[in-house]
Amino acid sequence: MTFLHGIAASNGIAIAKAYRLVEPDLSFEQKQVDDTSAEVDRFRQAMSKSKAELEAIRERAKVDLGADKAAIFEAHLLVLSDPELNAPIEEKIQSDKVNAESALKETADMFIMMFEQMENEYMRERAADIRDVTKRILAHLLGVQLVNPSMIAEEVIIVAEDLTPSDTAQLNRQFVLGFTTNIGGRTSHSAIMARSLEIPAVVGTKTATEEINNGDLVIVDGLKGEVHINPTPELVEQYRKVNEGYEAQKAEWAKLVNEPTVSSDNHHVELVANIGTPKDLKGVIENGGEGVGLYRTEFLYMGREQLPTEDEQFESYKAVLEGLTGKPVVVRTLDIGGDKELPYLDLPKEMNPFLGFRAIRLCLEEQEIFRTQLRALLRASIYGNLKIMFPMIATLDEFRAAKALLEEEKQKLLAEGQKVSDEIELGIMVEIPSTAILADQFAKEVDFFSIGTNDLIQYTMAADRMNQRVSYLYQPYSPSILRLVKMVIDASHAEGKWTGMCGEMAGDETAIPLLLGLGLDEFSMSATSILKARSQIRNLKKSDMEKLAQEVLNMQTTAQVIEAVNAATK
Ligand code: PEP
Ligand code: MG
């Protein structure tokens, strides 16, 4: 039995066989061949295996993910049967007497380069299809297996170096019981998504992919951040009991689904949910969410080949607004960059992606992308209680520029005779220290703040949220962070505005008493954390928490703060 320690990223216990999601080695050497017709045959066989495989994936994707997601595999099949690509490969094998791997790679690289340089965006995107198809054929030539999470058809625990947010979005909840990765932190987006999918996860184990083989029995303990490989039957039994206890606890919390979130001295706060897609609404409603405090719209843009159209976006926003029947919905405009990539935008790689060209910075420059989203939001605004929020605002000028674009699009829509709500509140994420420090000035112009602690902590501590070696600096209870949070809340209240928090800190058991004491108005978290938080808040007295908050602001270390919270809430 082997044991790994990592970061508890998503609550719960999962016990199942391991499925390694590890990219195979596709390296090869260029070789001369004598029997060129045998080599052509080998190439054709790899082609037909790839074709059969793609057809199966396409059918499966149609059922699991819908026709539009399956269309990508249709495009791959088209590339595969294109004689313009195949004929030159076979000719190359014949004329240069090289192995099929080299002929394939050289020819494909030439086409990829050609497509990437084209003016037309649609044609440029075809380069990605050729790249994917080439990988598949190459895998068959080399006799190695490509991994494909959407093809999993038995209960498994995924083991990977890392999972991108779009990998995570494709995981099938029915079969993927848990996952563990080598890298990542509690606020990396795969961890955040695991929480909303209610998949237990342990990230940042450093060596999971080295230690775990396909088929090993694995326990993922997302409560403690532990992974057990090939555990003894006794340990499995022990964990089944822990799991039963956890389920019983959840059943207790579930009784609060229709209860208000009030402290024991009757102070009401809003408990709302973070969502990534309209599909997450079900979880919000089942968990008694009082609205949505953060709709991360970037997931609409991911796992596809091109930007979503205005109408597609409109439908998603409308679905969320209607689904919540008048409850508040805070939609955050596109926050791409950092660990959320859009390969089809072809943005240059950056040295420091979290400090780079992302979120509002990108939107203010790529205005067409931004305007399309704003129009879709404005059109959807009449279907519910919409609030719009801009991410990564660092200066008042950025806020004003974004607001001006929103106003321009609104005027255009009205001139076209479209209806737009007059009551859309406009706010910003406070996730950059400069904005927290200048909150008193921002508060004069915005309708609300939502504190994004995932980023605010990484920028305040100068510690990359994806890097587990500096994850000890993710210190939400540090007096430095709490002082920033206080500045923001106080600044908003002085102007009669409200402050929410949509970073992971808002759902954290130790932070909640402090945030209540600091006067936070709205707590936005993974839907699955809502009932537990409600139960906790109902047992806290706001006036006591105010005193506690006041005390900890003058403490020196995180450890002292934790101790004070534990003593005050026992
Ligand atoms: C945050 O930074 O706290 C936040 C909620 O945004 P994201 O995690 O998407 O960066
Ligand atoms: Mg952020």
Side-chain angles (χ1 to χ4, degrees):
M1 184 176 99
T2 319
F3 164 79
L4 300 177
H5 194 76
I7 297 165
S10 176
N11 280 345
I13 310 278
I15 308 174
K17 291 217 178 107
Y19 179 96
R20 286 163 50 86
L21 206 60
V22 179
E23 284 285 324
D25 180 6
L26 293 179
S27 58
F28 63 88
E29 278 175 24
Q30 175 160 20
K31 280 195 207 131
Q32 290 297 120
V33 291
D34 297 329
D35 188 349
T36 51
S37 8
E39 197 62 10
V40 168
D41 266 356
R42 203 164 74 81
F43 172 65
R44 287 186 183 164
Q45 271 171 29
M47 294 287 281
S48 66
K49 281 187 196 151
S50 304
K51 183 162 179 265
E53 195 173 68
L54 273 172
E55 280 167 352
I57 296 176
R58 178 194 54 193
E59 292 315 307
R60 183 75 195 267
K62 267 190 202 157
V63 178
D64 290 351
L65 305 168
D68 54 332
K69 288 264 160 56
I72 172 169
F73 301 110
E74 196 64 60
H76 289 188
L77 278 161
L78 277 177
V79 172
L80 198 68
S81 54
D82 187 349
E84 300 244 11
L85 178 71
N86 302 342
I89 298 172
E90 295 194 5
E91 275 163 29
K92 203 169 186 56
I93 298 175
Q94 303 276 17
S95 61
D96 297 1
K97 290 185 180 299
V98 288
N99 54 346
E101 288 87 341
S102 320
L104 167 70
K105 183 86 180 30
E106 276 177 34
T107 312
D109 282 352
M110 187 193 75
F111 276 105
I112 290 168
M113 213 163 73
M114 201 172 91
F115 277 95
E116 276 178 342
Q117 283 166 358
M118 288 188 181
E119 284 287 308
N120 180 314
E121 192 182 324
Y122 174 82
M123 296 309 274
R124 272 204 312 275
E125 281 156 12
R126 300 287 67 79
D129 293 338
I130 301 177
R131 201 174 276 122
D132 271 21
V133 171
T134 309
K135 226 165 86 177
R136 188 170 301 282
I137 308 170
L138 203 51
H140 281 295
L141 282 171
L142 296 168
V144 296
Q145 185 108 43
L146 285 182
V147 289
N148 182 355
S150 57
M151 289 298 278
I152 295 171
E154 56 173 341
E155 292 189 340
V156 294
I157 285 179
I158 299 272
V159 180
E161 169 73 13
D162 186 23
L163 284 178
T164 64
S166 67
D167 285 336
T168 318
Q170 281 180 50
L171 298 180
N172 183 339
R173 263 246 53 192
Q174 197 189 342
F175 298 123
V176 178
L177 302 193
F179 73 76
T180 181
T181 58
N182 291 1
I183 66 170
R186 208 182 136 73
T187 61
S188 58
H189 284 92
S190 45
I192 290 170
M193 289 189 67
R195 283 197 282 285
S196 68
L197 292 167
E198 255 190 288
I199 298 180
V202 175
V203 301
T205 59
K206 298 191 185 84
T207 55
T209 56
E210 279 163 44
E211 306 275 356
I212 306 177
N213 295 312
N214 263 335
D216 280 351
L217 185 68
V218 173
I219 299 176
V220 168
D221 178 350
L223 299 167
K224 286 207 237 138
E226 294 176 357
V227 177
H228 301 270
I229 308 162
N230 292 324
T232 59
E234 292 75 35
L235 190 66
V236 172
E237 196 37 47
Q238 221 171 301
Y239 263 105
R240 290 205 200 282
K241 293 231 170 73
V242 175
N243 211 7
E244 274 167 27
Y246 182 61
E247 291 301 323
Q249 170 88 81
K250 282 207 298 194
E252 268 311 298
W253 293 331
K255 294 182 184 154
L256 298 175
V257 67
N258 294 317
E259 298 297 322
T261 313
V262 281
S263 63
S264 63
D265 50 351
N266 232 2
H267 175 78
H268 178 257
V269 292
E270 298 264 325
L271 264 196
V272 291
N274 293 347
I275 64 167
T277 86
K279 277 198 267 170
D280 298 339
L281 271 192
K282 190 165 163 273
V284 180
I285 292 160
E286 281 171 7
N287 287 287
E290 293 165 71
V292 163
L294 168 64
Y295 177 2
R296 287 187 166 93
T297 56
E298 46 278 6
F299 293 108
L300 258 173
Y301 293 67
M302 291 173 160
R304 46 187 297 145
E305 301 281 288
Q306 70 268 325
L307 290 162
T309 62
E310 181 183 317
D311 282 345
E312 275 175 81
Q313 294 191 51
F314 165 73
E315 291 301 336
S316 297
Y317 306 147
K318 177 171 173 256
V320 172
L321 287 161
E322 283 186 335
L324 279 167
T325 55
K327 293 190 180 121
V329 176
V330 181
V331 181
R332 176 175 77 184
T333 58
L334 182 62
D335 181 4
I336 215 64
D339 63 337
K340 292 173 287 195
E341 293 180 3
L342 287 188
Y344 58 81
L345 285 188
D346 255 339
L347 294 169
K349 281 258 171 261
E350 296 186 337
M351 293 278 278
N352 291 302
F354 275 104
L355 299 181
F357 186 57
R358 60 173 285 206
I360 201 69
R361 304 165 182 188
L362 183 145
C363 284
L364 289 176
E365 186 139 332
E366 304 283 338
Q367 284 196 9
E368 268 326 296
I369 297 177
F370 194 37
R371 285 178 188 272
T372 304
Q373 178 171 42
L374 296 176
R375 287 173 67 86
L377 279 169
L378 290 163
R379 281 171 53 201
S381 65
I382 53 171
Y383 294 95
N385 182 358
L386 172 68
K387 302 173 197 298
I388 298 178
M389 162 162 92
F390 301 129
M392 290 287 290
I393 293 286
T395 68
L396 257 168
D397 290 335
E398 283 174 340
F399 171 69
R400 289 175 184 154
K403 183 176 174 181
L405 291 177
L406 182 73
E407 193 51 37
E408 267 179 47
E409 290 310 317
K410 180 174 172 185
Q411 292 314 323
K412 279 193 221 162
L413 284 169
L414 292 174
E416 288 164 24
Q418 305 249 27
K419 285 202 190 118
V420 176
S421 164
D422 264 336
E423 286 162 12
I424 308 171
E425 284 190 17
L426 192 56
I428 58 168
M429 300 269 305
V430 180
E431 49 190 342
I432 298 180
S434 66
T435 305
I437 293 164
L438 207 61
D440 57 332
Q441 298 306 319
F442 277 97
K444 298 187 206 311
E445 301 195 20
V446 304
D447 295 321
F448 66 93
F449 291 131
S450 185
I451 307 177
T453 48
N454 305 340
D455 279 319
L456 184 64
I457 296 171
Q458 79 161 341
Y459 298 135
T460 307
M461 297 286 183
D464 186 340
R465 65 196 260 192
M466 298 294 288
N467 184 339
Q468 78 277 6
R469 299 189 76 169
V470 294
S471 63
Y472 73 96
L473 287 168
Y474 176 74
Q475 295 192 11
Y477 334 118
S478 158
S480 62
I481 300 297
L482 296 170
R483 286 185 188 191
L484 287 176
V485 169
K486 178 175 164 52
M487 282 172 78
V488 179
I489 297 173
D490 289 352
S492 70
H493 290 175
E495 294 291 334
K497 314 282 170 71
W498 60 272
T499 295
M501 178 179 285
C502 57
E504 292 302 302
M505 180 176 174
D508 181 290
E509 202 175 349
T510 306
I512 285 174
L514 298 171
L515 298 172
L516 183 69
L518 290 170
L520 189 74
D521 303 292
E522 179 232 51
F523 295 62
S524 192
M525 57 192 72
S526 316
T528 49
S529 305
I530 288 178
L531 290 167
K532 181 179 174 201
R534 180 168 296 153
S535 151
Q536 186 187 3
I537 291 171
R538 289 168 68 90
N539 287 314
L540 295 173
K541 193 167 174 192
K542 172 135 192 298
S543 55
D544 287 349
M545 296 307 112
E546 282 170 3
K547 284 186 214 125
L548 170 70
Q550 210 44 53
E551 268 170 44
V552 302
L553 286 169
N554 292 317
M555 288 183 174
Q556 294 180 319
T557 66
T558 291
Q560 289 170 338
V561 175
I562 296 175
E563 212 180 296
V565 174
N566 287 342
T569 57
K570 246 194 323 229

